[in-house]
Amino acid sequence: MGFKEAFTRQGDGENLLFDDDAFIYFAISILTLVVLPLVYSVIKPLFTTYVLGENKRKLARVPKSGNDQLNLQLAKQELRLKWLTTGYVFKIIILVALLLMLNASIQSLPNAEKIKGFDPYEILEIDPSATEQEIRKAYRKISLKLHPDKNPDDPQANQKFILLTKAYECLTDEDKKSLCMKYGNPDGQQSLSVGIAMPSFLLKKENRAAFLAVIFLLLLVVVPIIVLYELRSIGKYDQNGVMLSNQEKFERGLEENLLIKKGVELSSCSDELCRLRLKTEQQAIDLEKLVNELKEEAELRKIQKFEITEALEQSKKQKNKKRRVTISVAMILIYAHLFGKPIPESVKSLYRSTIKIIPKLVNSMVRLAFEFSMKYKVIQWRQRGRFQTKFMGARCINNILQFSQCIVQGIYETDNPINQIEFFATKAKDYIKKGKMPVFQELVQKQVDQRVLPNWVPEEFKDEIMKEINMFPYLDVKHEVTVDDESIVEQCNEDIFSIKITLTRMNTPEGQDIPFAHSNRFTYVKEEGWHILITFQNEVFYYAFLNGSNREQTTEFKFQPKMYFGDIVEFEFVLFVISDCYRGLDSEIPIKFKAKKASQISRAVEYHKEDQELDKSLPFIQSMLFPMQNKVEDSDSEDEDQQKKDDE
């Protein structure tokens, strides 16, 4: 309903109207508010994938080895396809529909003619300087054309004629002309008319049923489904992107004397991996062959209590097919990765998704172990009518992280860490004969000019080996124990102590980002990560995880010894710096310091001159009351003197 429709509306007793024009403006506003963030959510993954993500990897973090380059290309392919999901396509469909609706609303905007105010000269098609005779002549001429009797087929004829008549009255009647100048209407001030920003077609009876059906569908079906879907995803994953439903499984499996190979069982039973299923017959055939190869490899390595072999034996003993033990697909793929077995093409997608998520599962296990060791010291749960308790400390976390190292490097826990270098893993057995393998940590944690390879290594491979060694981190670990107050000479156990740990990757030039983690077997691009543990009497009381592209990284822990350890004055901490990517590069550094008891130290309290002056001065409230008190005392003394004079 435009200005002219409201102006010419006859009194029907209705003050509440459905306004089409207001609805169009309202719809454009709402659609714009919805479309803008939706456009951002559609463009963002494309921008981060093709502009930020890929360029960042090309210019700053490009791996140097051939295998790492291959992993980089696979990661880029996954980044390109990551955003192309069912939800993303559905989002694009909604965006296109909303854009079409927005365009239709813009096309339906009322023109300037429709929203223009009441102009009698324009209605009569005359100039403002027209005489009274010209006004009457124009009125007669136009009224003959617009009269309702001569336009029976025009539903707007009556409104047009009323508008023409009011324009003529406004120019010929002085009273109505003054009202028009004052109120914009020859009828004077009008009653309030309220309009609803809804389309007028809703007033029609035939449209009410459809409108109510749409409202019912939106409010009782669509909105609850969206809310329930969002509620299901809230609190479903932890900060590492791992499902929280795994927590109970990890709690039961983690323990202080945890074996490294226990990580295979805990990872394969996670909700993310236990749901892996074979989809084709070829996958089943290839996986069965892989199981036989793993059994033979386990016998060659003399592995006792090999999980896959035990599972197969238990399955054969079970006569009931429904109760037979089934081997997890993820467990087979993890062992194939650790033993260095080639993965069949039919299950490579399952293999990549399995290996990719294990570092995240490990980080969740470590975080869970630390939280329970700090808060509860033991884990308790009710099992078979009684409570089970166990302690988790540094050894538990250390073994979990060693499992992560094995996964990233693709070696078994009993393998020599030197196998992380491709030559020693694949070609060394053809040349070593009676020689010895070098110590991996000694090769990496030395300057380039101090590295010496065994004599049995052929010259043609030495340059390649040296280049690969330089890809591993030559890490310098420093720690510093300080007290917050630098003026303190003698430290007591009630002071606030600070332990600052600094990690510096020495073989990375200053100003450059460190490359991704180097591995000849890991099938995904991964950043180097370092887990920092500070223990006291085998109890972990500080944990931090450092990763990223910075050459130097620091973490700091502040604590009050008395609050943590009571009256102990001699402290022997152990600092563990454990890699989540590399075997044999972990550090174990003792931290020792002493702090006397507060009763054994006498500290003179020193006051600043300004503080001493403030102590001498009266408080604010007392300074306000003091003059009043003096006045009262003076008045009392004057009254006593006057009383004495009167008595005399």
Side-chain angles (χ1 to χ4, degrees), residues 147-165:
H147 199 279
D149 294 340
K150 293 191 176 182
N151 300 279
D153 299 331
D154 187 2
Q156 302 293 328
N158 191 33
Q159 293 182 359
K160 293 177 181 178
F161 190 77
I162 293 174
L163 193 65
L164 179 66
T165 303

Side-chain angles (χ1 to χ4, degrees), residues 376-394:
Y376 309 110
K377 301 300 181 187
V378 293
I379 296 179
Q380 298 185 356
W381 72 87
R382 191 172 182 82
Q383 186 177 17
R384 296 180 181 178
R386 58 183 179 179
F387 283 99
Q388 302 287 333
T389 62
K390 56 186 176 182
F391 170 80
M392 287 196 298

Side-chain angles (χ1 to χ4, degrees), residues 1-100:
M1 183 187 70
F3 176 81
K4 293 183 179 179
E5 288 81 353
F7 185 75
T8 57
R9 181 174 62 86
Q10 295 181 353
D12 52 1
E14 294 184 2
N15 289 327
L16 194 62
L17 301 176
F18 281 38
D19 196 335
D20 293 328
D21 297 345
F23 172 73
I24 292 173
Y25 285 109
F26 176 74
I28 291 174
S29 302
I30 296 299
L31 288 173
T32 303
L33 291 175
V34 175
V35 165
L36 288 179
L38 194 58
V39 169
Y40 172 78
S41 65
V42 169
I43 294 177
K44 182 181 178 181
L46 300 176
F47 182 76
T48 53
T49 300
Y50 292 104
V51 180
L52 294 181
E54 194 166 288
N55 285 346
K56 180 180 178 182
R57 286 166 171 77
K58 281 183 178 179
L59 301 176
R61 310 287 301 285
V62 177
K64 298 177 182 179
S65 70
N67 183 73
D68 293 343
Q69 289 285 1
L70 177 61
N71 289 342
L72 180 64
Q73 295 300 325
L74 293 173
K76 288 179 180 179
Q77 292 176 11
E78 290 188 4
L79 283 173
R80 293 189 186 101
L81 299 176
K82 186 177 181 180
W83 53 269
L84 194 59
T85 59
T86 305
Y88 187 81
V89 174
F90 182 68
K91 192 183 295 183
I92 291 177
I93 294 173
I94 294 177
L95 178 60
V96 171
L98 292 177
L99 288 174
L100 292 175

